[in-house]
Amino acid sequence: MDRTLIKDLRSVIGQTIKLQGWLQTLRDQKKIQFLILRDPTGLAQVAHWKPNDEVLAELIAKMGAETALTITGKVIDNPIVKLNGLEIQLESLEVDNMAEIPLPFDPFAETLPTIDYRLDWRYMDLRRSVNALLFQVQTSVEMAMREYWVKNKFIEVHSPKLMGTPSESGAELFSLDYFERKAYLAQSPQFYKQMAMAAGFERIFEIGPVFRADPSFTSRHMTEFTGVDMEISWINSHEDVMAFEERWLQYIYTRVKELHGDAIKKQFGVDLVIPEVPFPRIPMREAVEILKSRGYALPADKKGDIDPGGEREIAAYVKEKFNHDFVFLTDWPISVRPFYHMRIPEDQTLTRSFDLIACGLEITTGAQREHRVEMLQKQALEKGLHLEPIQFYLDFFRYGCPSHGGFGLGLSRLMMAMLNLNNIREVVYIFRGPTRLNP
Ligand code: 4AD
Ligand code: MG
C-alpha cells in the first residue's frame, strides 16, 4: 500500500490507507486509545478500540511520544474531531522505532530549553514544523539564487577549501597538518573567484563552506558557515556589483514570497516585503556623520569601521528616511578593507567597496578588485603582506585579466534578516562555534 500524506486524507474518506509519522500524543482511555500522528504535512487522529486487540492495546500503551510509526486504518468523516474533522480507525500498527522515555526534551512544549541545550539534541529541535519551514525556505532561496544566475549566464565553480596560503588575511585562520607542511582552511573563495575572471569565465558563483577561526561568541558569527559568492568581469566600479546584487535579491524575495509567503506569515509572523530597487546607498563617511547626529558614538578603536550597534542605528535611519530594509554602505576607508579592494582614484584613502546591511545586519561585503598587478603588489606590501606566498595570486593579473568585482554573502545571515530571527544558531542546520564541534 502506498503512503498517504495527512494533508490528503479528506480525499480518501471511506478507504483503508497507510500513514507514516511520529506519535505526537497518546490519550489512553478505558476502552479506546487516541493516537495523534504527525507527518510533515499535518496531524491526524487515529483511534484504536481496545477490545479489538488487547495485545496491540498494551503495545500502544507503552509507546513514548515521538515513536516512529506506520499504521493502516479506515478514514472516517467525523465532525467531532477538532483537528480536521477526520478520524482513522486503526487496523494495523507497526513500530518503526520506539522513542525512549523520557525524551531529552519535548520539542512541542510551550516553553523550550535554552538554545545551547537544544543544539545538543538538534534533530529533536528540528522536528518543530517552524524549523522544517525554515529549511524549505532556504532551499527555495538557493534555488532562486541559481535561477537568476543561470538566466544571466553565470558559471558555477567549486573551489578548494584546503589552501597553501591564507585566503584573506592572517587573522581568523585555521591551519592544519598537511603531510610534511601546513595547510589552511579557506576563509573565503576570494582568490579562486578572481582566478575565474583571469580564466575568462566573466560571471561565476559559488555556494560553499567558509572557515573562520573567530573566537567570539555572538549571535551572528560561526566558525564554519555557508558562503554565497559571485564575481563579474568588465565592470566600471563597485556600483555595477551593487546594481546586480539588489536585483538578484529582489528576485529571491519575489520567488520566496510566491512559494512560502503565507506559511512564513503564519509560522514566523513575517509579512515578506519584496525590496524595491535601487536600495539606498550611503558612503561610509556620511554614515559616520549620520550616526554622530543621532547621538550614536562609534567605538574609537574602530577607525572608520562600524559596529553592530551602528549597523542597527543606520538601519533605523534608513527605515525612517527611505522606508527600506536594505542599505548599501559604500566607499570604506582602506584601513578596514583588504589589500585587494580597488581604491577610489579621486581619493586614495577610500576603496571601491560596500557592505550590504539587511534589517540592521551585515549580510554582504563586496568590492571592485584591483586587477593591475603593480598596484596590487603595492597595496599588499602596504598592508604588511609578503609577496612570495601570494605570488600565484598576483600572477592571475599578469596575462590579461579584465576589471572585475563581486561579493560574499552569508547564507544564514540572509535567512536571519528574511525571517526576522536574531540568533544564527537557530537558523543554521548545524552550528559550529569555538566551543561546539558536536553534533
Ligand atoms: O565580509 P566577509 O568577511 O567578506 C569576504 O569574505 C570577502 N571575500 C567578500 C568579497 O567578495 N569581497 O564575509 C562575507 C559575508 C559577510 O558579509 C557575512 O554575511 C558572512 O559572510 N560572514 C559570516 N557569517 C557567519 N559567521 C561568520 N563568522 C561570518 N563572517 C562573515
Ligand atoms: Mg564583511
Side-chain angles (χ1 to χ4, degrees), residues 21 58 70 72 77 88 93 117 136 138 143 156 162 207 229 243 246 256 259 269 274 283 311 334 347 352 436:
E58 264 173 54
T70 298
T72 64
D77 194 12
I88 293 96
L93 179 148
Y117 182 83
Q136 280 160 6
Q138 184 174 284
M143 177 193 74
E156 180 168 13
L162 285 169
I207 301 181
D229 276 88
E246 63 196 359
V256 168
L259 294 166
I274 297 166
E311 287 171 357
I334 55 173
D347 185 345
R352 283 185 168 170
R436 185 169 284 280

Side-chain angles (χ1 to χ4, degrees), residues 371-385:
H371 64 288
R372 298 160 297 184
V373 72
E374 309 78 34
M375 295 292 285
L376 196 55
Q377 275 175 4
K378 188 169 139 284
Q379 291 179 193
L381 289 169
E382 273 176 34
K383 285 271 177 190
L385 271 74

Side-chain angles (χ1 to χ4, degrees), residues 168 172 187-190 193 210 212 214 220-225 227 229-231 340-341 355-356 362-367 369 406-413 424:
E168 288 282 335
E172 301 184 353
Q187 297 155 298
S188 82
Q190 187 60 38
K193 286 200 291 184
V210 173
R212 303 273 170 102
D214 184 336
R220 51 170 61 195
H221 287 97
M222 301 187 277
T223 49
E224 177 177 353
F225 65 92
D229 276 88
M230 56 152 272
E231 201 73 19
Y340 56 78
H341 283 195
D355 271 16
L356 177 60
E362 178 204 324
I363 62 168
T364 287
T365 290
R369 325 300 186 186
F407 64 79
L409 170 144
L411 181 63
S412 295
R413 296 257 186 114
I424 207 159

